[in-house]
Amino acid sequence: MNEIQFIDSVAELQDLCQKMKSEPWLAIDTEFLREKTYYPKFCLLQIATLEWVACVDPIALEGHLDELFSIINDPAIIKVLHSCRQDVEIFYQLSGKLPAPVYDTQIVAPLLGFQENTGYAMLVSGFLNINLSKIHTRTDWSQRPLSAEQVQYAADDVIYLAQIYQMMQQKLQALGRQDWLKEDFEQLMNEELYDIPPENAWLKIRGKNKLTGKQLAIVQVLAEWREQVAKKDNRPKNWILRDELILDMAKLQPDNLQSLSEIRGMNDGFVRRSGKQICQLIVKAKDLPGLKLKSKGSNKKTQQQEAVLDILTGVVRLRADENSLNPVILATRKELEQLILDDQDSPLLHGWRYSMVGQELQELLLGKVSVSIDKQSLSLQAIE
């Protein structure tokens, strides 16, 4: 096993950067904390290839990471991560850039027979027959010094990731699927995934689907205010104002401190600090046009629609069996409903699912393909 380099001096970092520049790909992971902050606190960076592994201490090297980030953001180097969004968020927050191109092993896993959203430990077990320890799952990575055991635990996340990446690439190539994930990876480089515009923060609040259009306008205004305050003060959003209180205020629409303070669960300190501004925002929002949520279609379907869904489900089962996949990973019934509604958010219209079955289902719905059935099999033929 390669010795783990622990990088906590500028000279060591410069040497590491020179080594990184010549690599075609890097396995990367981060350790961070965000329980008490809006932005994640960057505590450790793990980097590996098949030949070497290093752990970089960004706390000790604060103010000296520009060259490191320039390499991480180099478009000539593939960054291999697992469930990469939080890692990418840190890089975007600190460097202002997205580290394209990325290769997310969690996105690759379903194409190779694993379940959706497969965890890293399951991948390590499945590919390498190694069971990872969970002893340091709750470690406070901001504390120093880190023990040798903690460093090894962190380094394992990239040591095995580098090996899994090579194995995945070989399997994808053997299956002829090496290019199927290009769009999926490109979608991870959407800035709005990592820096939500405050005016769109309301879309993340659960339970809003039961509100009226006017109430949704209030939710939008309050969620935007909360997002701005959370960023400014670097505090978790729910420390400032919980989602359920935003929903309650949208329903009750308090316009004075007394009525605001009577809402169940409302903190007296919050009312004193921000109550007047909140009431003003609610009054203002009541005059705004009502908002509409994207329609998900009627839950009640005709027998004809159910029959169409059954046929699409049969095609999905056929293609899943041909590719040794669980049909649910390829497409759920709800996703097939989205496809019938021509919902562009349907995963069947993007990435590897489109290549495997989505395009074919689209053509079937447009009458460009027909279904043929005998007693033992189902097949599709293009209509001349």
Side-chain angles (χ1 to χ4, degrees), residues 57-75:
D57 184 352
I59 296 174
L61 292 164
E62 186 174 1
H64 300 280
L65 299 174
D66 288 351
E67 185 179 5
L68 178 67
F69 282 124
S70 71
I71 297 169
I72 290 174
N73 294 328
D74 186 342

Side-chain angles (χ1 to χ4, degrees), residues 13 16-17 20-21 26 28-30 40-45 47 56-59 61-77 79 86-100:
L13 182 61
L16 176 66
C17 287
M20 290 170 62
K21 287 177 181 178
L26 297 165
I28 294 177
D29 189 38
T30 64
K41 179 177 175 59
F42 189 21
C43 299
L44 196 68
L45 173 67
I47 310 170
V56 179
D57 184 352
I59 296 174
L61 292 164
E62 186 174 1
H64 300 280
L65 299 174
D66 288 351
E67 185 179 5
L68 178 67
F69 282 124
S70 71
I71 297 169
I72 290 174
N73 294 328
D74 186 342
I77 300 174
K79 276 65 64 171
Q86 290 184 311
D87 305 301
V88 170
E89 180 185 358
I90 290 173
F91 302 146
Y92 181 64
Q93 170 204 334
L94 294 174
S95 73
K97 295 181 180 179
L98 294 169

Side-chain angles (χ1 to χ4, degrees), residues 199 213-222 224-225 228 249 253-256 275-291:
E199 62 271 19
K214 285 290 187 180
Q215 290 170 338
L216 288 174
I218 296 173
V219 170
Q220 182 189 37
V221 168
L222 294 179
E224 179 177 359
W225 173 84
Q228 291 169 339
M249 285 189 282
Q253 301 178 16
D255 57 6
N256 59 70
K276 184 176 179 181
Q277 185 177 10
I278 290 295
C279 291
Q280 290 172 344
L281 288 171
I282 291 172
V283 170
K284 175 185 174 184
K286 288 165 70 175
D287 292 330
L288 295 175
L291 298 175

Side-chain angles (χ1 to χ4, degrees), residues 147-180:
S147 69
E149 189 179 52
Q150 287 172 318
V151 172
Q152 181 68 60
Y153 175 89
D156 283 346
D157 285 346
V158 288
I159 291 171
Y160 301 132
L161 184 62
Q163 298 174 38
I164 289 170
Y165 168 62
Q166 292 293 289
M167 297 169 76
M168 280 185 159
Q169 285 290 81
Q170 291 168 6
K171 286 179 176 289
L172 288 174
Q173 189 167 4
L175 292 167
R177 301 175 188 173
Q178 61 268 35
D179 297 324
W180 283 21

Side-chain angles (χ1 to χ4, degrees), residues 124-137:
V124 173
S125 176
F127 275 100
L128 304 172
N129 198 28
I130 294 172
N131 294 319
L132 291 178
S133 167
K134 298 181 180 180
I135 191 170
H136 293 295
T137 301

